[in-house]
Amino acid sequence: MSASEIDVGEEVRRGVADVRARIGAACARTGRDPGEVTLVGVSKFQPEHLVRAAVAAGVHDLGENYAQAMRDRAGALSDLPAVRWHQIGPLQRNKVNMVVRVASYFHALDSVGIAEALGARRDPADPLHVFVQVNIADEETKAGVGPAEVPDLLAAVAGQPSLRLAGLMGMPPAPERPEDSREHFVALRELGERLGVPGLSIGTTDDFEVAVEEGATMVRVGRSLFGGRHQQPRR
Ligand SMILES: *Cc1c(COP(=O)(O)O)cnc(C)c1O
C-alpha cells in the first residue's frame, strides 16, 4: 500500500465511526436499540482498497447496485468470508443467477416474475432475504411498485420457500434537507404496519438519521462512509 492509500484507509475508518455514532445518536433520541439497525456499506464505484478498509472497520454488509458488479466484487473479496452481499438495485431477469449465487439480501424486488425466478433457483436451506421496493413518492424515474401492488409481491415471496421477507424498501426524492424525507419514510412505515411487514430498508447519506428515527432496520450508506470522490451522481 502506498502512503496515500493508508491515509485514505484512515478516512474510511473515520467515516465508519462517524456514521455509527450518528446511527447510535438517532437510536438514543427515539429509544431504539442500535442492534436493530444494520449498516449496509454501499461500495458501488469505490476502489477495492477502500472497501477492504470498511470491512476491516467492521462493516460486514456490503451493497452493490448492479448484479455484475456485486459478483465481481464478491470474487475479488472472497478472502473475506464474513461479508454478506446486498443487491440494492433493480434486477433484470437474465441476472437472477448472479444474485442467487452471491447475495444474502435483495432490496429491490418489484416484480412477481423476479420473485419466482429467484425462488426457483435459490436453495431453501439458505434463503434469500428480500425487501419489496415501493416507489414511495410515485416518481417516474424510480424503481419500485405502487402501494396497491405490494400485497401481490408479498404473496409471491410467501409462496417461495427459498425467499424470506425482510420488509419494504424505499428511496424518496433527493432531499434538500434530511427532514424532507421524513414524510416518505413515515408513509412507508405505516404501509408496512398495515400489511404486517417486519423491516424497513430506508436511508442513505442524504437522510439515514431521519430513517433510523422512523424505524429503519437497514440503512444503505455510501458517500458518508467512503467520501464522495469516486462516486458518480445517483439521481
Ligand atoms: C447509491 C445508493 C445508495 C447509497 O447512496 P449514498 O448517497 O452514497 O449514501 C443507497 N441505495 C441505493 C439504492 C443506491 O443506489
Side-chain angles (χ1 to χ4, degrees):
M1 257 194 206
S2 71
S4 68
E5 283 184 359
I6 291 168
D7 291 343
V8 169
E10 177 57 30
E11 272 179 52
V12 171
R13 273 188 292 284
R14 273 202 288 268
V16 171
D18 176 61
V19 169
R20 287 212 189 280
R22 289 163 61 189
I23 290 172
C27 284
R29 284 196 292 279
T30 46
R32 297 191 66 199
D33 172 359
E36 294 170 7
V37 184
T38 300
L39 170 61
V40 179
V42 176
S43 53
K44 65 183 182 198
F45 310 132
Q46 301 295 344
E48 186 179 322
H49 67 276
L50 294 192
V51 182
R52 287 183 177 273
V55 176
V59 178
H60 292 141
D61 289 271
L62 293 176
E64 288 282 339
N65 263 48
Y66 297 103
Q68 303 97 300
M70 185 185 57
R71 179 199 57 195
D72 295 348
R73 275 268 196 241
L77 301 181
S78 60
D79 58 308
L80 304 174
V83 172
R84 297 193 297 180
W85 290 98
H86 297 245
Q87 167 75 24
I88 61 172
L91 186 60
Q92 292 164 298
R93 188 73 78 100
N94 60 353
K95 308 279 165 50
V96 158
N97 279 334
M98 295 177 192
V99 168
V100 164
R101 283 196 209 103
V102 174
S104 298
Y105 282 82
F106 175 40
H107 291 243
L109 181 67
D110 65 358
S111 101
V112 169
I114 294 286
E116 290 172 352
L118 288 167
R121 288 171 180 77
R122 184 80 171 198
D123 179 356
D126 175 27
L128 177 68
H129 300 267
V130 300
F131 289 92
V132 172
Q133 182 170 0
V134 183
N135 189 345
I136 32 183
D138 195 20
E139 293 174 277
E140 265 176 35
T141 56
K142 285 277 163 68
V145 298
E149 295 166 75
V150 173
D152 282 350
L153 283 169
L154 299 181
V157 172
Q160 298 294 328
S162 55
L163 302 183
R164 288 276 182 290
L165 183 66
L168 302 180
M169 181 275 220
M171 197 136 121
E176 264 172 49
R177 294 161 302 122
E179 275 303 317
D180 297 342
S181 296
R182 191 180 299 273
E183 59 175 312
H184 302 293
F185 293 155
V186 168
L188 191 66
R189 187 190 66 221
E190 289 176 352
L191 177 65
E193 284 166 358
R194 278 200 298 283
L195 298 170
V197 171
L200 289 173
S201 171
I202 48 174
T204 70
T205 291
D206 287 332
D207 49 24
F208 69 87
E209 290 155 292
V210 174
V212 168
E213 288 172 3
E214 297 303 339
T217 54
M218 292 199 160
V219 292
R220 310 176 313 272
V221 180
R223 289 169 296 155
S224 287
L225 295 180
F226 294 105
R229 288 178 306 282
H230 311 279
Q231 194 90 337
Q232 293 168 14
R234 73 187 168 92
R235 338 200 194 207

